[in-house]
Structures are given as C-alpha cells and as structure tokens.
Amino acid sequence: MADTVRASHLLVKHRGSRRPASWRNPEITITKDEAISLLREYRSRILAGEDFAQLASKVSDCSSAKRGGDLGPFSRGQMQKPFEDATYALSVGELSDIVDTDSGVHIILRTG
C-alpha cells in the first residue's frame, strides 16, 4: 500500500458542515440532501467527460478550488478518516462515490 497518495476533490458544504461558509458563499444554508443531489449531478457530469479540475474550480466549496481541487500529496493521519479511507481505496485515475465528512460531502479523484 502506498505511503502517500495524491488526490483532488470537489466539496459541497451544507448547513450541517462544521464550517458552513466558503470562498463562494459566506453563509451556506442548503441541506445535506441538497448537497448530495448537487454532488451526484457533478459526478455524472465528470463521468460524462466534463473536466474535473475545471468543474471543481467553479463549484467546490474548498479553497483548493483555485488549484482545480488538487490537495497535493498526503499520508495517513492528515485527512479526516472517511476521506483518507476513500482515497486510499481508489486506484489512480479513479473517481469516488460520495464521501461524507465533517466538512461536507465530497467526490474524490485519486491522482497519485
């Protein structure tokens, strides 16, 4: 198993997120179910050929959006456990299903 991985992600926060605000929206009020619906739509668009980095740069609630969602390399213990477990379970180039963390809901693209 790899010691470090590299991933990009697209985060959609909701009002139950630990910090319901982002660079795009100072007060996030959508529900978790609404966030999941948005993320499902984004995931479908990516699977249909839309560029992950371009979409993440427009719609992700994480500051990594300015890097197309790229989080750079990380190792175990640096990310929230559900995010870490999902990333390590992916093959390079594989897109995750929806991953739920305290930050919100994500789709993850393992890039290394």
Side-chain angles (χ1 to χ4, degrees), residues 23-72:
W23 68 275
R24 295 183 331 107
N25 188 344
E27 184 182 357
I28 294 170
T29 59
I30 64 171
T31 66
K32 184 176 182 178
D33 286 343
E34 290 169 323
I36 289 170
S37 290
L38 281 172
L39 207 52
R40 281 196 180 115
E41 176 196 330
Y42 299 151
R43 187 174 189 277
S44 294
R45 288 167 55 181
I46 293 162
L47 291 173
E50 190 163 346
D51 185 77
F52 186 99
Q54 286 183 359
L55 184 59
S57 71
K58 294 179 203 152
V59 301
S60 181
D61 285 318
C62 181
S63 60
S64 68
K66 32 181 196 289
R67 297 181 303 280
D70 184 18
L71 295 170

Short mmCIF file of all heavy atoms in Angstrom, two decimals, residues 23-72:
data_model
loop_
_atom_site.label_atom_id
_atom_site.label_comp_id
_atom_site.label_asym_id
_atom_site.label_seq_id
_atom_site.Cartn_x
_atom_site.Cartn_y
_atom_site.Cartn_z
N TRP A 23 -15.40 30.14 0.20
CA TRP A 23 -14.97 31.25 -0.65
C TRP A 23 -16.08 31.67 -1.60
O TRP A 23 -16.14 32.80 -2.03
CB TRP A 23 -13.71 30.87 -1.42
CG TRP A 23 -13.93 29.80 -2.45
CD1 TRP A 23 -13.91 28.45 -2.24
CD2 TRP A 23 -14.22 29.98 -3.83
NE1 TRP A 23 -14.17 27.77 -3.41
CE2 TRP A 23 -14.37 28.69 -4.41
CE3 TRP A 23 -14.37 31.09 -4.65
CZ2 TRP A 23 -14.66 28.49 -5.75
CZ3 TRP A 23 -14.67 30.89 -5.99
CH2 TRP A 23 -14.81 29.61 -6.53
N ARG A 24 -16.99 30.75 -1.91
CA ARG A 24 -18.08 31.04 -2.84
C ARG A 24 -19.31 31.62 -2.14
O ARG A 24 -20.09 32.32 -2.76
CB ARG A 24 -18.53 29.76 -3.57
CG ARG A 24 -17.51 29.17 -4.47
CD ARG A 24 -18.00 27.94 -5.24
NE ARG A 24 -19.01 27.13 -4.61
CZ ARG A 24 -20.30 27.09 -4.99
NH1 ARG A 24 -20.73 27.80 -5.99
NH2 ARG A 24 -21.14 26.31 -4.35
N ASN A 25 -19.49 31.28 -0.88
CA ASN A 25 -20.73 31.61 -0.19
C ASN A 25 -20.46 31.84 1.29
O ASN A 25 -20.07 30.91 1.99
CB ASN A 25 -21.72 30.45 -0.39
CG ASN A 25 -23.10 30.75 0.13
OD1 ASN A 25 -23.30 31.68 0.88
ND2 ASN A 25 -24.05 29.93 -0.27
N PRO A 26 -20.66 33.05 1.81
CA PRO A 26 -20.35 33.32 3.21
C PRO A 26 -21.31 32.64 4.19
O PRO A 26 -20.98 32.49 5.36
CB PRO A 26 -20.45 34.84 3.32
CG PRO A 26 -21.33 35.25 2.18
CD PRO A 26 -21.12 34.24 1.09
N GLU A 27 -22.48 32.21 3.72
CA GLU A 27 -23.43 31.52 4.60
C GLU A 27 -24.14 30.43 3.82
O GLU A 27 -25.03 30.69 3.01
CB GLU A 27 -24.46 32.50 5.18
CG GLU A 27 -25.39 31.83 6.17
CD GLU A 27 -26.45 32.78 6.72
OE1 GLU A 27 -26.44 33.97 6.38
OE2 GLU A 27 -27.28 32.30 7.48
N ILE A 28 -23.72 29.20 4.06
CA ILE A 28 -24.29 28.06 3.33
C ILE A 28 -25.52 27.56 4.08
O ILE A 28 -25.46 27.25 5.27
CB ILE A 28 -23.22 26.96 3.18
CG1 ILE A 28 -22.11 27.49 2.27
CG2 ILE A 28 -23.84 25.67 2.64
CD1 ILE A 28 -20.89 26.64 2.20
N THR A 29 -26.64 27.48 3.37
CA THR A 29 -27.91 27.13 4.00
C THR A 29 -28.55 25.87 3.41
O THR A 29 -29.59 25.44 3.91
CB THR A 29 -28.91 28.30 3.89
OG1 THR A 29 -29.12 28.58 2.51
CG2 THR A 29 -28.40 29.54 4.62
N ILE A 30 -27.94 25.28 2.38
CA ILE A 30 -28.57 24.09 1.79
C ILE A 30 -28.47 22.90 2.76
O ILE A 30 -27.60 22.85 3.62
CB ILE A 30 -27.95 23.71 0.43
CG1 ILE A 30 -26.48 23.31 0.55
CG2 ILE A 30 -28.14 24.83 -0.58
CD1 ILE A 30 -25.89 22.71 -0.73
N THR A 31 -29.40 21.97 2.61
CA THR A 31 -29.40 20.77 3.46
C THR A 31 -28.36 19.78 2.95
O THR A 31 -27.88 19.87 1.82
CB THR A 31 -30.78 20.09 3.45
OG1 THR A 31 -31.03 19.59 2.13
CG2 THR A 31 -31.89 21.05 3.88
N LYS A 32 -28.09 18.79 3.78
CA LYS A 32 -27.17 17.73 3.36
C LYS A 32 -27.73 16.99 2.14
O LYS A 32 -26.99 16.69 1.20
CB LYS A 32 -26.94 16.77 4.52
CG LYS A 32 -25.93 15.69 4.23
CD LYS A 32 -25.71 14.86 5.48
CE LYS A 32 -24.69 13.79 5.27
NZ LYS A 32 -24.44 13.02 6.50
N ASP A 33 -29.03 16.73 2.12
CA ASP A 33 -29.63 16.05 0.97
C ASP A 33 -29.49 16.88 -0.30
O ASP A 33 -29.23 16.34 -1.38
CB ASP A 33 -31.12 15.75 1.23
CG ASP A 33 -31.31 14.59 2.20
OD1 ASP A 33 -30.35 13.82 2.44
OD2 ASP A 33 -32.43 14.45 2.73
N GLU A 34 -29.65 18.19 -0.18
CA GLU A 34 -29.46 19.07 -1.35
C GLU A 34 -28.01 19.04 -1.82
O GLU A 34 -27.74 19.02 -3.02
CB GLU A 34 -29.89 20.50 -1.02
CG GLU A 34 -31.39 20.66 -0.86
CD GLU A 34 -31.80 22.00 -0.28
OE1 GLU A 34 -31.10 22.54 0.61
OE2 GLU A 34 -32.85 22.52 -0.72
N ALA A 35 -27.08 19.02 -0.87
CA ALA A 35 -25.66 18.96 -1.21
C ALA A 35 -25.34 17.65 -1.93
O ALA A 35 -24.61 17.65 -2.92
CB ALA A 35 -24.81 19.10 0.06
N ILE A 36 -25.91 16.55 -1.45
CA ILE A 36 -25.68 15.25 -2.09
C ILE A 36 -26.25 15.25 -3.50
O ILE A 36 -25.63 14.74 -4.44
CB ILE A 36 -26.26 14.12 -1.22
CG1 ILE A 36 -25.40 13.95 0.04
CG2 ILE A 36 -26.37 12.81 -2.00
CD1 ILE A 36 -26.01 13.03 1.10
N SER A 37 -27.42 15.85 -3.69
CA SER A 37 -28.02 15.93 -5.03
C SER A 37 -27.12 16.71 -5.99
O SER A 37 -26.92 16.29 -7.14
CB SER A 37 -29.39 16.59 -4.97
OG SER A 37 -30.31 15.75 -4.33
N LEU A 38 -26.59 17.84 -5.52
CA LEU A 38 -25.66 18.61 -6.35
C LEU A 38 -24.43 17.77 -6.71
O LEU A 38 -24.00 17.75 -7.86
CB LEU A 38 -25.20 19.88 -5.62
CG LEU A 38 -26.16 21.05 -5.59
CD1 LEU A 38 -25.63 22.13 -4.65
CD2 LEU A 38 -26.34 21.61 -6.99
N LEU A 39 -23.90 17.10 -5.71
CA LEU A 39 -22.69 16.31 -5.94
C LEU A 39 -22.94 15.16 -6.90
O LEU A 39 -22.10 14.85 -7.75
CB LEU A 39 -22.16 15.79 -4.59
CG LEU A 39 -20.69 15.52 -4.49
CD1 LEU A 39 -19.86 16.71 -4.94
CD2 LEU A 39 -20.32 15.12 -3.09
N ARG A 40 -24.10 14.54 -6.81
CA ARG A 40 -24.45 13.48 -7.77
C ARG A 40 -24.47 14.03 -9.20
O ARG A 40 -24.01 13.39 -10.13
CB ARG A 40 -25.81 12.88 -7.42
CG ARG A 40 -25.74 11.89 -6.29
CD ARG A 40 -26.99 11.04 -6.20
NE ARG A 40 -26.85 10.10 -5.10
CZ ARG A 40 -27.60 10.11 -4.01
NH1 ARG A 40 -28.60 10.96 -3.89
NH2 ARG A 40 -27.38 9.24 -3.05
N GLU A 41 -25.04 15.23 -9.35
CA GLU A 41 -25.07 15.86 -10.67
C GLU A 41 -23.65 16.13 -11.16
O GLU A 41 -23.31 15.83 -12.31
CB GLU A 41 -25.86 17.18 -10.61
CG GLU A 41 -25.85 17.94 -11.92
CD GLU A 41 -26.28 19.39 -11.78
OE1 GLU A 41 -27.10 19.70 -10.90
OE2 GLU A 41 -25.77 20.22 -12.56
N TYR A 42 -22.79 16.68 -10.30
CA TYR A 42 -21.40 16.97 -10.68
C TYR A 42 -20.67 15.68 -11.06
O TYR A 42 -19.93 15.64 -12.04
CB TYR A 42 -20.65 17.68 -9.56
CG TYR A 42 -21.21 19.01 -9.15
CD1 TYR A 42 -21.06 19.48 -7.85
CD2 TYR A 42 -21.92 19.82 -10.05
CE1 TYR A 42 -21.57 20.71 -7.46
CE2 TYR A 42 -22.43 21.05 -9.66
CZ TYR A 42 -22.25 21.48 -8.36
OH TYR A 42 -22.76 22.70 -7.98
N ARG A 43 -20.88 14.63 -10.28
CA ARG A 43 -20.22 13.34 -10.55
C ARG A 43 -20.64 12.81 -11.92
O ARG A 43 -19.82 12.34 -12.69
CB ARG A 43 -20.54 12.35 -9.43
CG ARG A 43 -19.75 11.06 -9.54
CD ARG A 43 -19.99 10.15 -8.33
NE ARG A 43 -19.06 9.03 -8.36
CZ ARG A 43 -19.27 7.92 -9.06
NH1 ARG A 43 -20.36 7.78 -9.79
NH2 ARG A 43 -18.37 6.95 -9.04
N SER A 44 -21.92 12.89 -12.22
CA SER A 44 -22.44 12.44 -13.53
C SER A 44 -21.80 13.24 -14.66
O SER A 44 -21.44 12.67 -15.71
CB SER A 44 -23.96 12.59 -13.60
OG SER A 44 -24.57 11.71 -12.70
N ARG A 45 -21.66 14.53 -14.47
CA ARG A 45 -21.05 15.38 -15.50
C ARG A 45 -19.59 14.99 -15.74
O ARG A 45 -19.13 14.94 -16.88
CB ARG A 45 -21.18 16.85 -15.10
CG ARG A 45 -22.61 17.36 -15.23
CD ARG A 45 -22.85 18.69 -14.56
NE ARG A 45 -21.97 19.76 -14.98
CZ ARG A 45 -22.03 20.99 -14.47
NH1 ARG A 45 -22.94 21.32 -13.55
NH2 ARG A 45 -21.20 21.92 -14.90
N ILE A 46 -18.87 14.69 -14.66
CA ILE A 46 -17.47 14.29 -14.79
C ILE A 46 -17.38 12.93 -15.49
O ILE A 46 -16.58 12.74 -16.41
CB ILE A 46 -16.79 14.25 -13.40
CG1 ILE A 46 -16.68 15.67 -12.85
CG2 ILE A 46 -15.42 13.58 -13.48
CD1 ILE A 46 -16.44 15.74 -11.36
N LEU A 47 -18.23 12.00 -15.09
CA LEU A 47 -18.22 10.68 -15.73
C LEU A 47 -18.60 10.77 -17.20
O LEU A 47 -18.19 9.93 -18.01
CB LEU A 47 -19.15 9.72 -14.99
CG LEU A 47 -18.68 9.31 -13.58
CD1 LEU A 47 -19.74 8.50 -12.88
CD2 LEU A 47 -17.35 8.55 -13.65
N ALA A 48 -19.36 11.79 -17.57
CA ALA A 48 -19.75 12.00 -18.96
C ALA A 48 -18.68 12.75 -19.76
O ALA A 48 -18.84 12.99 -20.94
CB ALA A 48 -21.08 12.77 -19.03
N GLY A 49 -17.58 13.12 -19.10
CA GLY A 49 -16.46 13.72 -19.82
C GLY A 49 -16.09 15.14 -19.43
O GLY A 49 -15.10 15.67 -19.92
N GLU A 50 -16.87 15.77 -18.55
CA GLU A 50 -16.51 17.13 -18.13
C GLU A 50 -15.20 17.08 -17.33
O GLU A 50 -14.96 16.14 -16.58
CB GLU A 50 -17.63 17.76 -17.30
CG GLU A 50 -17.42 19.22 -17.03
CD GLU A 50 -18.67 19.97 -16.57
OE1 GLU A 50 -19.78 19.44 -16.71
OE2 GLU A 50 -18.51 21.09 -16.08
N ASP A 51 -14.37 18.09 -17.50
CA ASP A 51 -13.08 18.13 -16.83
C ASP A 51 -13.24 18.37 -15.32
O ASP A 51 -13.85 19.35 -14.90
CB ASP A 51 -12.22 19.25 -17.44
CG ASP A 51 -10.84 19.27 -16.86
OD1 ASP A 51 -10.02 18.41 -17.25
OD2 ASP A 51 -10.57 20.14 -16.01
N PHE A 52 -12.67 17.44 -14.53
CA PHE A 52 -12.79 17.51 -13.07
C PHE A 52 -12.25 18.84 -12.54
O PHE A 52 -12.92 19.53 -11.78
CB PHE A 52 -12.03 16.34 -12.42
CG PHE A 52 -12.21 16.27 -10.93
CD1 PHE A 52 -13.11 15.39 -10.36
CD2 PHE A 52 -11.46 17.08 -10.07
CE1 PHE A 52 -13.29 15.32 -8.98
CE2 PHE A 52 -11.62 17.02 -8.71
CZ PHE A 52 -12.55 16.14 -8.16
N ALA A 53 -11.04 19.20 -12.95
CA ALA A 53 -10.39 20.40 -12.41
C ALA A 53 -11.17 21.66 -12.75
O ALA A 53 -11.32 22.55 -11.91
CB ALA A 53 -8.95 20.50 -12.91
N GLN A 54 -11.66 21.74 -13.98
CA GLN A 54 -12.43 22.93 -14.36
C GLN A 54 -13.71 23.04 -13.56
O GLN A 54 -14.08 24.13 -13.10
CB GLN A 54 -12.72 22.91 -15.86
CG GLN A 54 -11.50 23.22 -16.69
CD GLN A 54 -11.81 23.27 -18.18
OE1 GLN A 54 -12.93 23.05 -18.61
NE2 GLN A 54 -10.78 23.56 -18.96
N LEU A 55 -14.42 21.91 -13.38
CA LEU A 55 -15.65 21.95 -12.60
C LEU A 55 -15.36 22.29 -11.14
O LEU A 55 -16.03 23.14 -10.55
CB LEU A 55 -16.39 20.61 -12.72
CG LEU A 55 -17.75 20.54 -12.04
CD1 LEU A 55 -18.72 21.59 -12.59
CD2 LEU A 55 -18.34 19.14 -12.18
N ALA A 56 -14.36 21.64 -10.57
CA ALA A 56 -14.01 21.91 -9.17
C ALA A 56 -13.65 23.38 -8.97
O ALA A 56 -14.01 23.99 -7.95
CB ALA A 56 -12.85 21.01 -8.72
N SER A 57 -12.96 23.97 -9.93
CA SER A 57 -12.54 25.37 -9.79
C SER A 57 -13.73 26.32 -9.74
O SER A 57 -13.64 27.41 -9.19
CB SER A 57 -11.57 25.76 -10.90
OG SER A 57 -12.24 25.85 -12.13
N LYS A 58 -14.86 25.89 -10.29
CA LYS A 58 -16.05 26.73 -10.30
C LYS A 58 -17.01 26.46 -9.14
O LYS A 58 -17.66 27.39 -8.66
CB LYS A 58 -16.83 26.51 -11.61
CG LYS A 58 -16.12 26.95 -12.85
CD LYS A 58 -16.98 26.65 -14.06
CE LYS A 58 -16.13 26.54 -15.30
NZ LYS A 58 -16.68 25.69 -16.32
N VAL A 59 -17.13 25.19 -8.72
CA VAL A 59 -18.22 24.85 -7.81
C VAL A 59 -17.80 24.29 -6.45
O VAL A 59 -18.63 24.16 -5.56
CB VAL A 59 -19.24 23.87 -8.46
CG1 VAL A 59 -19.84 24.49 -9.72
CG2 VAL A 59 -18.61 22.52 -8.77
N SER A 60 -16.52 23.94 -6.27
CA SER A 60 -16.11 23.36 -4.99
C SER A 60 -16.10 24.42 -3.89
O SER A 60 -15.69 25.56 -4.12
CB SER A 60 -14.71 22.74 -5.10
OG SER A 60 -14.32 22.17 -3.86
N ASP A 61 -16.54 24.02 -2.70
CA ASP A 61 -16.54 24.93 -1.55
C ASP A 61 -15.22 24.91 -0.79
O ASP A 61 -15.09 25.56 0.24
CB ASP A 61 -17.69 24.56 -0.59
CG ASP A 61 -19.04 25.00 -1.11
OD1 ASP A 61 -19.14 26.13 -1.63
OD2 ASP A 61 -20.01 24.22 -0.99
N CYS A 62 -14.23 24.19 -1.29
CA CYS A 62 -12.91 24.16 -0.66
C CYS A 62 -12.01 25.19 -1.32
O CYS A 62 -12.11 25.44 -2.52
CB CYS A 62 -12.31 22.76 -0.81
SG CYS A 62 -10.68 22.57 -0.03
N SER A 63 -11.10 25.74 -0.55
CA SER A 63 -10.15 26.71 -1.12
C SER A 63 -9.24 26.05 -2.16
O SER A 63 -8.62 26.74 -2.97
CB SER A 63 -9.32 27.37 -0.02
OG SER A 63 -8.58 26.40 0.69
N SER A 64 -9.17 24.71 -2.16
CA SER A 64 -8.38 24.01 -3.19
C SER A 64 -8.98 24.20 -4.58
O SER A 64 -8.35 23.85 -5.58
CB SER A 64 -8.27 22.51 -2.88
OG SER A 64 -9.54 21.88 -3.02
N ALA A 65 -10.17 24.78 -4.66
CA ALA A 65 -10.80 25.04 -5.96
C ALA A 65 -9.88 25.85 -6.86
O ALA A 65 -9.85 25.63 -8.06
CB ALA A 65 -12.13 25.77 -5.76
N LYS A 66 -9.09 26.76 -6.28
CA LYS A 66 -8.21 27.57 -7.12
C LYS A 66 -7.09 26.74 -7.74
O LYS A 66 -6.44 27.19 -8.67
CB LYS A 66 -7.64 28.79 -6.39
CG LYS A 66 -7.39 28.69 -4.95
CD LYS A 66 -6.85 30.00 -4.39
CE LYS A 66 -6.22 29.84 -3.04
NZ LYS A 66 -7.15 29.58 -1.98
N ARG A 67 -6.92 25.50 -7.28
CA ARG A 67 -5.95 24.56 -7.88
C ARG A 67 -6.70 23.41 -8.56
O ARG A 67 -6.16 22.31 -8.70
CB ARG A 67 -5.02 24.01 -6.79
CG ARG A 67 -4.16 25.07 -6.12
CD ARG A 67 -3.22 24.48 -5.08
NE ARG A 67 -3.89 23.72 -4.03
CZ ARG A 67 -4.50 24.27 -2.96
NH1 ARG A 67 -4.53 25.57 -2.81
NH2 ARG A 67 -5.07 23.50 -2.05
N GLY A 68 -7.95 23.64 -8.94
CA GLY A 68 -8.74 22.60 -9.59
C GLY A 68 -9.09 21.45 -8.66
O GLY A 68 -9.36 20.35 -9.10
N GLY A 69 -9.09 21.75 -7.36
CA GLY A 69 -9.41 20.73 -6.36
C GLY A 69 -8.21 19.95 -5.86
O GLY A 69 -8.35 19.09 -4.98
N ASP A 70 -7.02 20.22 -6.39
CA ASP A 70 -5.82 19.46 -6.03
C ASP A 70 -5.42 19.71 -4.58
O ASP A 70 -5.19 20.85 -4.18
CB ASP A 70 -4.67 19.83 -6.97
CG ASP A 70 -3.41 19.01 -6.73
OD1 ASP A 70 -3.49 17.94 -6.09
OD2 ASP A 70 -2.34 19.45 -7.19
N LEU A 71 -5.33 18.62 -3.82
CA LEU A 71 -4.90 18.70 -2.42
C LEU A 71 -3.42 18.40 -2.26
O LEU A 71 -2.89 18.50 -1.16
CB LEU A 71 -5.71 17.72 -1.57
CG LEU A 71 -7.20 18.03 -1.49
CD1 LEU A 71 -7.95 16.87 -0.85
CD2 LEU A 71 -7.43 19.32 -0.72
N GLY A 72 -2.76 18.00 -3.34
CA GLY A 72 -1.36 17.63 -3.24
C GLY A 72 -1.22 16.27 -2.57
O GLY A 72 -2.21 15.61 -2.26
#
